[in-house]
Amino acid sequence: MKYVLVTGGVVSGLGKGVTASSIGVVLKACGLRITSIKIDPYLNTDAGTMSPFEHGEVFVLDDGGEVDLDLGNYERFLDVTLTRDNNITTGKIFQSVIEKERRGDYLGKTVQVVPHITDAIKNWIESVAVIPVDGKEGAADVCVIELGGTVGDIESMPFIEALRQLSFSVGQDNFCLIHVSLIPVLGVVGEQKTKPTQHSVRELRALGLTPHLLACRSAQPLLENTKEKLSQFCHVAAANILNIHDVPNIWHIPLLLMNQNSHYAILKQLNLLSIATPPDLQDWTKMAETYDNLTNSVRIAMVGKYVGLTDSYLSVVKALLHACIACSLKPSIDWIAASDLEDDTAKLTPEAHAAAWETLRNAACVLVPGGFGDRGVRGMMLAAKFARENNIPYLGICLGMQISVIEFARSVLSMERANSEEFDAQTSENVVIFMPEGSTTHMGSTMRLGSRKTFFQTPDCITAKLYGNRQYVDERHRHRYEVNPDIIGVLEERGLKFVGKDETRKRMEILELPSHPFYIGVQFHPEFKSRPRRPSPLFLGFMLAATGRLEAFLNNHQNGV
């Protein structure tokens, strides 16, 4: 197995995940099979219990793994299906070592960070690296490893040591280290400063790892004298200093790397030049350029709880982008904090309330994504009601579906106290209830997680047509509440149809309002399986409906056009 390690220096948030994904894209374009591993040095065993404000969205895998959002980048860029084991955390490693110690596996030895923790890290990497993730038989050619955090963080020290040992044990020809660093420009001087990167590389080398390539993040392209200075003081050949400057969209980053011959430097280090082919990124280039040249846009109202940090809804944003490009549109997302739509805000901050409603009224479509907790729920219901009553395309995902059911029960069925047990445990009109198999005492990994089958109940519904009239679809889930099956009959009598259910036919998965052009709620998260060249059918339909093209598309689709 060949390993490419991506580390980061100076500051966090430099885009190591996108850089690692882009390196994978370029190597894949050279005919190699790629897998990837993300190392997160935090003590949580996974990302499941972390606030989106703290760490961005929680990305869900087919096997139910709740992982870092960078694994979403890997899946989208490389078109692979990863497992929970492709995300290593300090919590997972410590937990596995302590379990072994409790069983007596260490035969009375004193358990220490070195060698026991570092050995566990190495063994985990080597065992996961050989698991195929692209649907083919046998191990991949290259495993791209991203080490989260910044070099020098106390949390990442055991991982740095384990990776140093790994580089030594696998040999020079099987290990390539790429260090991502920042080249700032001070406003007063206007000069690209290399000192932060010099210090970062010095720190890395003091820990026993020497970078083979530098990937320098900067606002503007690197100047030649900056490259020369970096080469001289960081002990990296000038040809191996890559510049990842700001680009119009992240799909340009693999092209940036290819144009700087990054693949040649990596393949040379890994002794793979003889088996690799010249990179073919024509398709990727076309996709990046298509997006740059789009002029028509569509206004999408995103009504959520975590709009202060757009990474909280990263996969939803990407799925909208994929669908828009398929429709030759540029997404224009208007972020609306759900609480700003509520009556209380009108009294406290009338300007924010007026602005939120103005934005909602000007949108071509409304999307309410997933979330947890009762903050902003009334605002989401108002958005769902506005879309329902004004024939504006609406897509509700997970919580967004539950919101639409509660709103319908209140407005159409006159169930004034209709609510979810999540928001009001005492309500007498539970339209959304806690799932019987859920845990009331533990939060981590106690939800309905991962890929599950949803069976269509109504063949002529919009969702079934968008998915190609299949009998069922496999989509990823992440929820602990569901629509109360006891009220389905009365909801359907008044026009809300549940067109998709699980294999037991008792759990509601998809709802539609047939009297509406596009009013769909889904309990699953279709955004997690959307890909740049294969947009999610639901998001595609949502964008087509927003631009008045859905009916023509479905007719052509039905006729095989």
Side-chain angles (χ1 to χ4, degrees), residues 148-170:
T150 308
V151 169
D153 292 348
I154 196 165
E155 296 96 335
S156 59
M157 289 303 178
F159 292 102
I160 293 274
E161 172 58 21
L163 291 161
R164 183 196 65 77
Q165 293 178 21
L166 180 71
S167 70
F168 181 73
S169 62
V170 300

Side-chain angles (χ1 to χ4, degrees), residues 403-522:
I403 288 291
S404 62
V405 174
I406 298 168
E407 187 279 318
F408 191 87
R410 288 185 182 185
S411 302
V412 180
L413 303 183
S414 302
M415 295 170 66
E416 292 179 10
R417 294 197 63 199
N419 217 329
S420 165
E421 282 186 347
E422 182 180 8
F423 315 135
D424 182 2
Q426 308 306 318
T427 182
S428 57
E429 296 177 320
N430 282 333
V431 296
V432 177
I433 59 171
F434 191 78
M435 289 192 308
E437 68 268 41
S439 169
T440 55
T441 57
H442 287 67
M443 293 187 76
S445 294
T446 57
M447 291 183 274
R448 187 165 181 254
L449 290 163
S451 194
R452 310 289 179 104
K453 285 185 172 67
T454 294
F455 292 86
F456 290 109
Q457 311 298 305
T458 314
D460 63 341
C461 66
I462 291 174
T463 314
K465 290 175 183 175
L466 286 170
Y467 277 100
N469 295 310
R470 285 183 269 167
Q471 185 185 355
Y472 66 86
V473 290
D474 265 309
E475 293 283 9
R476 297 176 185 177
H477 293 70
R478 185 177 185 250
H479 65 108
R480 53 168 56 92
Y481 293 86
E482 63 183 359
V483 179
N484 186 349
D486 294 341
I487 67 149
I488 300 306
V490 66
L491 286 168
E492 294 208 314
E493 279 175 20
R494 298 301 296 273
L496 197 65
K497 300 299 181 187
F498 290 89
V499 299
K501 300 180 182 179
D502 76 340
E503 64 278 358
T504 67
R505 306 298 193 270
K506 293 177 182 174
R507 187 162 276 152
M508 304 304 118
E509 293 279 7
I510 308 170
L511 68 79
E512 287 189 15
L513 196 58
S515 59
H516 193 285
F518 189 98
Y519 192 89
I520 295 176
V522 290

